């Protein structure tokens, strides 16, 4: 939440307003950290079935695609929208 508010120019991370690619990287990192923090302990403790674990890892691959929609104006303003779509 703090990085999203900073990207909008508010809060302790307001430097992200002038560094929009910092927000792009933080969004992906936080998303992946959440999945790992949620999935790994449950996988080790409960012995998740491999189908559920594979689903969680599939969702982890959505982070780079999701940021294209969340921060699309960053890519548009820097002229890298086409590159983002190709990589995505």
């Amino acid at each position: 939440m703090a990085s999203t508010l900073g990207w909008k120019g508010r809060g302790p991370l307001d430097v992200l307003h002038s560094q929009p690619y910092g927000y792009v990287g933080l969004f992906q990192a936080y998303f992946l950290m959440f999945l790992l923090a949620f999935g790994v302990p449950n996988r080790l403790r409960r012995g998740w079935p491999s189908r559920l674990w594979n689903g969680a890892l599939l969702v982890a691959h959505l982070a780079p695609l999701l940021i294209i929609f969340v921060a699309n104006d960053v890519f548009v303003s820097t002229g890298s929208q086409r590159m983002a779509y190709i990589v995505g």
Side-chain angles (χ1 to χ4, degrees), residues 34-82:
F34 169 76
L35 286 174
L36 287 173
F38 175 73
V40 170
N42 286 323
R43 170 81 171 148
L44 295 175
R45 185 182 60 187
R46 296 186 196 157
W48 276 10
S50 62
R51 188 172 6 144
L52 185 59
W53 181 245
N54 289 338
L57 293 177
L58 178 66
V59 171
H61 285 83
L62 295 178
L65 299 176
L66 188 59
I67 193 61
I68 292 172
F69 296 108
V70 171
N72 190 44
D73 56 338
V74 172
F75 297 110
V76 170
S77 67
T78 58
S80 59
Q81 186 178 19
R82 184 174 172 174

